[in-house]
Amino acid sequence: MAESPEEVAVLVQRVVKDIRNAFQRNPHIDEIGLIPCPEARYNRSPIVLVENKLGVESWCVKFLLPYVHNKLLLYRQRKQWLNKDELIDITCTLLLLNPDFTTAWNVRKELILSGTLNPLKDLHLGKLALTKFPKSPETWIHRRWVLQQLIQENSLPSLVNKGNLGAAPVERIHRLVQEEMNVCSEAAGRYPSNYNAWSHRIWVLQHLEKLTVKVLLDELSSTKYWVSVHVSDHSGFHYRQFLLKSLIGRTVTDNNVLVQNQMVNEQNPSLQKEEESAGAEAACAEEQSVDLPRRLEEELELCTELIDTYPGHETLWCHRRCVFYLQHHLSNKLPLLSAVVSSVDSSDETLNNSHHSPATSHMAQAMDVDGLNESSSKQGYTQETKRLKRAPMPDSLGPEMEYQFIDKVLSTCRDADQARFATAYRKWLVTFLGQ
């Protein structure tokens, strides 16, 4: 085994070269890991490549990591020169072993900006690092930076706003989004309550995908099974809460725009243009077809099923609170918290932000769920506006059914935690409803 600095340098250079050669032989490597091996038993490379899996024998890490770490720091301090190829190899090796080393990511940012490094390769490197370190915050941060560079490179924001986005960019965005969704799902499965992964997923929806009703509904559908088999993962349910709030916020926002346009057109008929009218109808046609009460009812049914199947999980009861909160305000045409609409543009909102007291929520800025303010003039309330009104929720979904559900749980459960969570939920209902 290497002991002297010269022997360590030779060993590390060989290992770094072997890692580079492994990626050249198989560019489809999809997972990395450490192979438990206290000592070098054979005179062979510690890098093992089997199919699409890359393994590093653990005995060499204590030599490899400090060496590449110090070498990169010397380069940043301008005490040692490294060419571009050496920088790429050293930072790659370092980040596979320690992806939270910010300096290495910053060096790769400089290489991307200089045109030396393909940003797609950094996305692949980050994906590999997340298979071993799925919660690495620096990796997620760098991943978002790379995606922003790809967006700017193709001038996608300006093209999207102008409506001139060609087929090729649209397909590329779709592939990027699907890849990010897969990376997030895999990382969330590898580490419980991986808030970094779910926050990144929210960011992708906000910046790479338009938060349209179709996108939100597709995400609700695609994550339903995931949360059903991860009933204690609060981050996954928080993501569904974001989707539900965004769905309500998107519908409210678009309906408000439709009402305002109708008022302007009625007051100023000369300003109305056929192409604008057609565009508004097309934009709102999808929104009008959304049955928000039914969506919330289905989410509450999911909570009921999971609570009955997996008793004693507090996450399910917290999610039920949020769903009932949204359902209650929607059914009673009460003002939603301003956070419901702002959540469409903010990924930092947490579940606690939506659990204000009733008094606080009633004092919030008045905004009807279906997009009509109390101060709206009667002139703007047309037949088209009436069609946007949502039917009242069935009585079976009211507070009485919640109390009956709690009574049923308390009378049949044998789990102490389940009884405690049900009692706490009843207390919250009494406080929230003011009964």
Side-chain angles (χ1 to χ4, degrees):
M1 183 177 294
E3 295 290 346
S4 66
E6 292 78 10
E7 291 176 327
V8 171
V10 172
L11 169 66
V12 170
Q13 291 173 6
R14 188 186 71 177
V15 173
V16 171
K17 182 179 179 180
D18 290 341
I19 293 177
R20 181 186 63 208
N21 292 336
F23 281 103
Q24 291 177 348
R25 293 198 308 271
N26 187 352
H28 303 294
I29 296 175
D30 57 14
E31 186 177 356
I32 62 170
L34 289 179
I35 303 174
C37 185
E39 297 179 348
R41 298 181 179 180
Y42 308 100
N43 186 20
R44 66 182 185 188
S45 172
I47 305 303
V48 180
L49 179 62
V50 179
E51 296 181 351
N52 293 334
K53 315 300 178 184
L54 180 67
V56 181
E57 294 183 356
S58 59
W59 66 265
C60 73
V61 174
K62 62 181 179 182
F63 302 108
L64 182 61
L65 187 57
Y67 183 88
V68 294
H69 180 276
N70 294 333
K71 198 164 187 177
L72 187 61
L73 289 181
L74 290 175
Y75 167 79
R76 295 298 285 179
Q77 296 169 1
R78 301 181 183 275
K79 295 181 180 180
Q80 183 175 354
W81 171 253
L82 296 174
N83 60 42
K84 295 179 180 179
D85 291 335
E86 290 175 331
L87 282 175
I88 293 175
D89 293 340
I90 287 179
T91 53
C92 175
T93 302
L94 180 54
L95 291 169
L96 290 176
L97 300 175
N98 179 21
D100 287 329
F101 188 46
T102 309
T103 302
W105 287 122
N106 290 338
V107 170
R108 295 183 74 88
K109 286 184 176 70
E110 296 173 357
L111 294 173
I112 291 175
L113 293 176
S114 66
T116 304
L117 182 62
N118 187 342
L120 294 178
K121 289 188 176 181
D122 250 26
L123 288 180
H124 181 61
L125 176 63
K127 178 182 177 180
L128 291 179
L130 290 172
T131 61
K132 177 64 178 174
F133 307 93
K135 204 176 180 180
S136 169
E138 295 299 329
T139 305
W140 291 111
I141 292 172
H142 182 75
R143 195 170 191 85
R144 288 191 283 273
W145 182 88
V146 173
L147 291 172
Q148 287 177 331
Q149 298 305 307
L150 291 174
I151 292 175
Q152 295 173 4
E153 176 184 338
N154 293 277
S155 301
L156 297 184
S158 60
L159 291 175
V160 170
N161 293 335
K162 295 179 181 178
N164 297 323
L165 192 61
V170 168
E171 292 177 0
R172 184 174 185 182
I173 293 177
H174 182 69
R175 287 196 300 268
L176 282 175
V177 170
Q178 291 302 315
E179 176 67 18
E180 293 306 300
M181 296 296 103
N182 294 335
V183 171
C184 292
S185 297
E186 185 176 351
R190 290 177 180 271
Y191 195 100
S193 295
N194 194 339
Y195 179 77
N196 293 328
W198 291 105
S199 297
H200 180 78
R201 191 166 185 147
I202 292 175
W203 184 92
V204 170
L205 290 183
Q206 292 174 329
H207 292 81
L208 296 184
E209 280 274 33
K210 293 181 180 179
L211 280 177
T212 61
V213 169
K214 182 180 184 306
V215 171
L216 295 171
L217 293 180
D218 287 346
E219 281 297 289
L220 279 171
S221 176
S222 64
T223 57
K224 182 177 180 180
Y225 175 77
W226 197 96
V227 297
S228 298
V229 296
H230 297 82
V231 292
S232 290
D233 197 309
H234 181 77
S235 296
F237 283 97
H238 175 265
Y239 178 71
R240 291 184 68 83
Q241 293 161 21
F242 162 80
L243 295 175
L244 292 171
K245 293 173 185 178
S246 299
L247 188 62
I248 295 174
R250 178 63 62 189
T251 304
V252 169
T253 301
D254 290 345
N255 289 345
N256 273 332
V257 172
L258 179 60
V259 172
Q260 293 175 2
N261 289 340
Q262 290 174 343
M263 294 176 63
V264 172
N265 293 334
E266 290 178 1
Q267 296 174 2
N268 303 285
S270 60
L271 298 179
Q272 184 176 9
K273 298 181 180 179
E274 293 183 1
E275 57 182 5
E276 293 179 353
S277 177
E281 292 178 2
C284 295
E286 184 183 35
E287 313 299 337
Q288 295 178 29
S289 64
V290 179
D291 189 352
L292 290 177
R294 178 57 187 167
R295 292 293 172 180
L296 293 175
E297 177 187 352
E298 291 175 353
E299 194 69 16
L300 206 62
E301 291 173 354
L302 175 64
C303 288
T304 300
E305 179 182 351
L306 294 179
I307 288 174
D308 290 340
T309 307
Y310 306 100
H313 292 273
E314 187 175 14
T315 299
L316 300 176
W317 290 95
C318 291
H319 185 61
R320 191 180 188 93
R321 289 188 189 188
C322 181
V323 176
F324 178 81
Y325 170 83
L326 296 173
Q327 190 183 71
H328 177 77
H329 283 286
L330 189 64
S331 63
N332 290 282
K333 299 294 188 291
L334 294 178
L336 281 174
L337 293 176
S338 59
V340 171
V341 174
S342 64
S343 66
V344 180
D345 303 313
S346 171
S347 62
D348 294 329
E349 181 183 11
T350 61
L351 177 61
N352 293 331
N353 291 340
S354 64
H355 285 169
H356 298 294
S357 64
T360 304
S361 62
H362 295 172
M363 293 173 62
Q365 181 181 2
M367 180 182 64
D368 200 352
V369 171
D370 54 11
L372 292 175
N373 293 333
E374 295 294 337
S375 60
S376 299
S377 63
K378 295 182 179 180
Q379 185 178 6
Y381 192 82
T382 61
Q383 185 64 28
E384 179 68 19
T385 302
K386 291 180 181 179
R387 290 197 301 166
L388 299 177
K389 284 286 186 182
R390 306 302 178 191
M393 297 289 291
D395 294 338
S396 61
L397 297 178
E400 192 63 31
M401 287 301 298
E402 289 300 291
Y403 287 123
Q404 293 179 12
F405 171 73
I406 295 172
D407 292 338
K408 176 185 174 183
V409 170
L410 291 176
S411 62
T412 58
C413 76
R414 299 180 179 179
D415 187 275
D417 289 334
Q418 180 85 322
R420 179 164 57 89
F421 297 146
T423 303
Y425 181 56
R426 182 201 293 275
K427 250 187 215 186
W428 177 83
L429 277 177
V430 171
T431 303
F432 175 68
L433 299 173
Q435 297 177 355

